[in-house]
Amino acid sequence: MKTYKLLIEMAKQQANYFCLLDPDNLSGEEAREYACKSEENGADGILVGGSLMYNDCFEDNLKIIKGAVKKIPVLIFPGLFNFVSRYADALLLLSVVSSRNPQMLIGEQVRAAPLIKKYGVEAIGTGYILIDGGNNSSVQYMSHSMPIPHAKDDIAAVHALAAQYMGMRIIYMDAGSGAVNPISNSMISQVKSDINIPLFVGGGIRKPDIAAQKAAAGADFVVTGNVLEEGFDTRLIREFAQAIHHSRRI
Ligand code: 1GP
């Protein structure tokens, strides 16, 4: 509960900025540098994860990232059950509630559960909602899941509400990595007004002013991944962090 309580406190104070690092795409040195520089330039936390495990470096890089940051939480954002490790502050145990594929709703979680117990890592039940971002996302393909249509705010809201009633403690709304269209402000705002648990929003956010809009609409945690993978730019991290921190909730 320690990290979840921290996230609740963080969400009460301000909108927060999380950088998503895909350990598969990073050397150990890059993992250390990106984690350090993210924290130094204002990121409030780091998510570690991706859709694939192509290289055998998830745990090594996670350990490096956790060792490199001083204060901010490091959370696992798993693609599949094999992203379980003791070297994170917590693991977002995702159930893809927008899916009707039982493997992504409960199958992967069942496979992860014994490892979570063995490692003693804090697991935070997370209702993951995939929204159409204007292109076929890796998550959509890998999870055999149809995303919720971009303009159907009410459908997203009832999924979030159902996840909350089922006991999930975070909602993560994702347009998918590299989305053409990030999740709309109106959808974020409707979901946020219906739930009382922290809300993560990501997918296709490439500019600080857009990130600020997502925070102003109600995202407690705004996530960027791709934009930093294309060129790790500390000035851009600072701009994202400042824009998100200075946003005003609607
Ligand atoms: C993907 O929400 C994250 O799961 C981040 O998306 O890579 O498009 O920033 P981007």
Side-chain angles (χ1 to χ4, degrees), residues 121-136:
V121 61
E122 178 179 340
I124 304 174
T126 300
Y128 179 93
I129 303 176
L130 183 63
I131 310 295
D132 190 348
N135 51 357
N136 284 327

Side-chain angles (χ1 to χ4, degrees), residues 20 77 128 139 172 174-179 201-205 223-227:
L20 170 62
F77 180 54
Y128 179 93
V139 188
Y172 192 124
D174 199 353
S177 195
V201 171
I205 299 171
V223 180
T224 68
N226 245 340
V227 74

Side-chain angles (χ1 to χ4, degrees), residues 191-245:
V191 168
K192 184 62 188 171
S193 68
D194 278 352
I195 60 172
N196 53 25
I197 52 178
L199 177 61
F200 279 67
V201 171
I205 299 171
R206 308 183 58 81
K207 293 198 170 145
D209 61 316
I210 301 294
Q213 285 177 24
K214 306 307 162 199
D220 298 302
F221 299 89
V222 179
V223 180
T224 68
N226 245 340
V227 74
L228 296 175
E229 275 182 21
E230 287 163 10
F232 194 79
D233 178 350
T234 52
R235 190 176 49 89
L236 188 58
I237 296 179
R238 209 159 45 244
E239 285 173 10
F240 269 116
Q242 281 169 0
I244 291 165
H245 294 155

